[in-house]
Structures are given as C-alpha cells and as structure tokens.
Amino acid sequence: MELAVRAAAASCSSSPSLHPPRVPCRLGRSPGLPLPARRVAVAAAAIALDPEIKTELNDASKTEVFACPVCYEPLIRTGPPGMNLPAIYRSGFKCSKCNKSFTSKDVFLDLTITSGMKEYSELKPARTELFRSPLVSFLYERGWRQNFNRSGFPGRDEEFQMAQDYFQSVAGGILVDVSCGSGLFSRKFASSGAYSAVIALDFSENMLRQCYDYIKQEETPMNTNLALVRADISRLPFASCSIDAIHAGAAIHCWPSPSNAIAEISRVLKPGGVFVATTFLSTPTNSGPLSIDALRPLRQIVGPVNSSYNFFTEGELEDLCRSCGLINYSSKVQRSFIMFSGQKP
C-alpha cells in the first residue's frame, strides 16, 4: 500500500505550499422506503426536461475528474458538459481504454465495477448492506442520525462549520462527500458556494435516491454544481491527484477496509488536498472487552466481539492516515466523537 501511495504521489505534477500543522484540541461543547418505478421515471423526466439547462452538446469530451473504476483511465463523456444533475443524467460515459460504458439510468451515475452487469451480483459485509436498505435510507435523516448526539456528535450545523474550517485552504476546488448517505452534508457543501463542484458519493442506491428527494424538497436548483455518484470507497472512480477536498461524515467505521479506503483517498487527492472525517472512537461499550488498550492486539486474532463495525482509538486513526501518505494530522474530540484531518503532501 505504501508503494502505491508513493507512486500516486509521484504522478502529481507539482505541490503547492501547505498550511501549517493544526494543533489537536478538545471541544468544549456536546454534539426508503422502496421507490416505485413510476417515481424514478418522473424524476428522470424532471431532469431531462429541466428548462434551466442551457448547455450545448459536447460529443466527445474528457471529464475533468471521472475515471474508470476498472483501469483508472479517463472517461470520455458524450452529452452536455457540467457537474450538475441534469447534465450528468443526459450524458454517457465510456472508458478510453477498456471501453466499459457507464450511464445514469436512475437519478445517479453508477461508477461501480459491477455497473451494467446483468448476471453477476455480490453482497458486501452486513454493515454495508444495512445502509442499502430502503427503510434505513428513509430513516437516516428522520431520527437515526440525530441520535449520534448521545455519543458527542455536535450536530449537522456545527459539524459542517468545523469541516469548513479544515477546508479553507482548498476553497474553490472540487469536493467529494464520500459515504454521503442521504446527502446530509453534501447539500450544505453545495449550497455554501465554496466549491466549484460537489460530488455526493455513496455505495447505496437508496441513499442517493433519498438525497435526490431532499434536493427537490429543499428547492435546490437542479443546475447547482452537485452530482450524485454511486461508487465503492475502495475503488474511487477518479483520476489520481484530481480532487481538492474529501469529506467522510460518520462513515469510516462502516467501511469494509478502512486502510484500502484511505489509501484510495490519498491517491485521488491533489497535492495540498485535504481529507476530513468523523467517526466514533473506540470505547468499552461499542467495541467489547478487546477495546481495552492492553488487550487490543488480540482483536487482530479473534476479531471484534460485540460489534460488526470498526471502531478505532485516536492513535490508530493517526497511524492509518500517516501510513497512507497523509500529513498534518489534527483532530477534535468530544466524548466518543472525533473529527480528524490529514493533507496530501
């Protein structure tokens, strides 16, 4: 993994000046349902007929950041340019090397390796499949996420502002909100106007549909620079050194392989790019008896006891970021809540 990170870094052209390391600090305050086929058709029609779209067809242009999840080669785009819902929906994407095609048959662009497959299917770990459930996707912003305040999560508005503080050095760039869920933070990043484009990325089809529904309810203009993309966190569909900022809110504990995911994040970040994430710190109540520091090495042998999620100590998170090539690690902690950040050198 370290060699892969170094190779990705070597492929980047230049490194802008980095902001000085931040000093870790402690916070002083505490923090769907199945979509009918006709509903998808109506949503698709709304996108296709949106009168606000004033773009000319671009028959064969390379996208700025999208890459094939199979071979990481640039995707050739046919259709209107722009990083917004109508433009993405009306475009076709094809790998310039392996010729695999990707389309938006739903309200999102599917850039997973299994996109377009008719016979093959696979299941992810239970903690990943849980969030693909229509019911969990429907409930996520209707009570599920709000319960995180019991563990010290400050809440949506404060967490957003904390992340914005970390992202000051990359304002105006492209932000990817990985494991975005129902777009709780993606929509705020997009409406802030602080970024040239925001990509809401998740593996769950139903979470992305919920995000689209919220966009309509909040009357967010369809031509806002916000794209919905389905992708695997361990196989990000972006060119190396192409993304300015990556946010992962309350997500890393659900990832099948956090080390592979952070290595991918490091690969796609530009020099000077910033990664910000929140998660639950390991405690005796959420990680079982093996969460005790003296016994944690045994977890590698017998595995987690009381949970299917990955909970880490702050030291483990810092070690993970550094081993994947990120520098300037800093963190903010409140009870079991942690927001941490690293930067691409």
Side-chain angles (χ1 to χ4, degrees):
M1 182 173 64
E2 184 176 352
L3 291 176
V5 171
R6 289 180 178 176
S11 67
C12 303
S13 57
S14 62
S15 299
S17 60
L18 304 180
H19 63 67
R22 297 177 183 269
V23 178
C25 62
R26 303 271 163 175
L27 292 180
R29 293 180 285 174
S30 301
L33 302 175
L35 198 67
R38 65 178 184 176
R39 189 174 169 196
V40 175
V42 171
I47 290 178
L49 299 177
D50 193 321
E52 295 186 18
I53 299 305
K54 299 177 180 179
T55 55
E56 297 180 358
L57 292 181
N58 187 356
D59 293 331
S61 63
K62 288 188 177 181
T63 66
E64 294 82 358
V65 294
F66 291 140
C68 175
V70 177
C71 58
Y72 292 142
E73 289 296 313
L75 295 182
I76 302 298
R77 177 174 178 174
T78 303
M83 192 71 73
N84 56 66
L85 293 175
I88 295 292
Y89 180 81
R90 295 166 58 191
S91 297
F93 299 83
K94 187 174 184 179
C95 178
S96 59
K97 182 176 182 180
C98 69
N99 290 324
K100 183 175 175 64
S101 297
F102 304 90
T103 58
S104 296
K105 294 182 179 180
D106 211 322
V107 294
F108 54 84
L109 174 63
D110 192 340
L111 293 180
T112 59
I113 291 178
T114 56
S115 174
M117 291 187 179
K118 298 180 180 179
E119 301 294 332
Y120 177 81
S121 64
E122 64 183 17
L123 294 177
K124 295 288 186 179
R127 58 181 175 268
T128 300
E129 291 298 322
L130 174 68
F131 292 97
R132 297 181 71 186
S133 159
L135 179 59
V136 173
S137 300
F138 178 81
L139 294 175
Y140 189 73
E141 285 190 48
R142 296 174 173 90
W144 183 301
R145 183 55 163 78
Q146 288 81 348
N147 284 327
F148 288 11
N149 63 2
R150 298 179 180 180
S151 297
F153 278 67
R156 181 191 186 192
D157 291 341
E158 188 169 345
E159 291 171 51
F160 168 74
Q161 189 55 57
M162 291 165 63
Q164 287 286 77
D165 291 343
Y166 277 116
F167 288 139
Q168 285 182 10
S169 64
V170 290
I174 297 174
L175 181 144
V176 180
D177 188 19
V178 298
S179 297
C180 68
S182 53
L184 183 71
F185 292 100
S186 308
R187 305 189 312 267
K188 286 189 74 70
F189 285 128
S191 62
S192 72
Y195 308 96
S196 59
V198 173
I199 300 172
L201 182 150
D202 204 284
F203 188 75
S204 168
E205 305 91 327
N206 285 303
M207 283 292 190
L208 292 170
R209 291 174 185 135
Q210 281 296 318
C211 183
Y212 177 78
D213 284 349
Y214 280 121
I215 291 172
K216 291 191 299 180
Q217 293 171 16
E218 295 171 358
E219 298 183 348
T220 302
M222 283 293 176
N223 60 351
T224 298
N225 287 337
L226 173 63
L228 304 184
V229 173
R230 181 173 183 248
D232 189 333
I233 186 62
S234 294
R235 199 77 183 177
L236 293 175
F238 306 112
S240 296
C241 306
S242 62
I243 304 298
D244 300 279
I246 295 182
H247 175 263
I252 188 173
H253 52 275
C254 300
W255 294 345
S257 175
S259 59
N260 285 346
I262 302 257
E264 269 291 88
I265 287 169
S266 180
R267 177 185 69 82
V268 303
L269 279 175
K270 291 179 180 178
V274 178
F275 168 54
V276 175
T278 60
T279 188
F280 298 88
L281 286 173
S282 174
T283 67
T285 57
N286 66 20
S287 298
L290 294 189
S291 63
I292 301 173
D293 288 344
L295 299 180
R296 287 180 68 80
L298 294 179
R299 190 179 65 181
Q300 300 179 10
I301 301 174
V302 300
V305 176
N306 294 335
S307 174
S308 61
Y309 297 99
N310 293 309
F311 297 111
F312 303 98
T313 65
E314 185 173 0
E316 287 179 308
L317 292 172
E318 181 174 2
D319 188 31
L320 179 58
C321 288
R322 294 190 187 283
S323 69
C324 291
L326 300 179
I327 63 173
N328 292 340
Y329 175 89
S330 68
S331 65
K332 298 177 181 179
V333 175
Q334 179 171 282
R335 304 207 307 271
S336 296
F337 164 85
I338 182 171
M339 175 176 282
F340 63 98
S341 175
Q343 189 175 33
K344 179 75 168 284

